[in-house]
Amino acid sequence: MGTRTFPFSTLINKQTSVFPALEDADVILERRDAENLVLMRSERFEAMVKGLGLAARSLAIIARVNRSLAEEVFAEELPWLVWLPEQARPQCVKELLDHLLAGSETGLLLPFARALREWQSTAEIYSDPELARRLRGPFDTTGAVDAEPPGSADG
């Protein structure tokens, strides 16, 4: 099983081309001015959610029993983890596992994806010692002005 891609307009104009593809594939509908959409049969979606939930709970159990093994698993799948300072790695692993577990239970995986992106960006900053040094400060605030908090301006 794989994926098939169609322009979004095909769904509107020729559903008979799109829906039969769902028998053996998930369908990506490409939109010009918005995020693409994915169509899939509910049994495949439910299987994916159940599989993800089982994998997340299993990994969380391993992490509780053997944190270093969980870190090894993550390091295998997330090679950028080595760029984080050693003391930040357990926090990263815990946060990602917590988000993954919560997402697998609720179906809300965007917080996991956001945390994954944030940790990877942080690791990439640490991979460049000069950039990491500059971001730690001190910062030249000559000429800086205080910004008003959102919603506080008269108007």
Side-chain angles (χ1 to χ4, degrees):
M1 186 190 78
T3 59
R4 301 260 325 263
T5 303
F6 294 92
F8 184 76
S9 59
T10 304
L11 177 65
I12 294 168
N13 300 325
K14 303 180 206 164
Q15 297 99 356
T16 56
S17 300
V18 175
F19 291 121
L22 289 168
E23 287 302 317
D24 59 356
D26 296 334
V27 171
I28 298 173
L29 298 172
E30 293 180 329
R31 300 190 302 173
R32 285 188 206 132
D33 298 329
E35 260 189 88
N36 293 342
L37 300 174
V38 176
L39 292 177
M40 66 174 50
R41 290 178 49 188
S42 63
E43 68 181 342
R44 284 200 295 264
F45 176 77
E46 290 168 12
M48 181 182 67
V49 169
K50 285 181 183 176
L52 176 61
L54 175 63
R57 287 188 300 278
S58 299
L59 192 52
I61 290 168
I62 291 169
R64 279 195 300 273
V65 173
N66 188 338
R67 179 62 65 174
S68 63
L69 180 58
E71 285 185 27
E72 267 183 58
V73 169
F74 265 69
E76 182 78 24
E77 288 300 314
L78 307 172
W80 49 260
L81 205 61
V82 300
W83 294 331
L84 288 174
E86 211 168 305
Q87 67 275 14
R89 292 178 200 164
Q91 178 187 353
C92 172
V93 169
K94 180 186 182 327
E95 186 175 320
L96 291 175
L97 285 172
D98 289 348
H99 281 299
L100 185 59
L101 183 57
S104 71
E105 289 297 319
T106 63
L108 301 173
L109 292 168
L110 286 177
F112 169 75
R114 196 170 28 253
L116 185 63
R117 256 191 330 272
E118 290 167 358
W119 276 108
Q120 183 172 354
S121 295
T122 301
E124 289 170 2
I125 289 168
Y126 278 106
S127 76
D128 181 344
E130 175 58 21
L131 178 59
R133 185 197 62 71
R134 287 192 345 247
L135 290 174
R136 279 193 199 100
F139 301 103
D140 180 9
T141 57
T142 306
V145 296
D146 288 336
E148 292 295 322
S152 66
D154 293 329

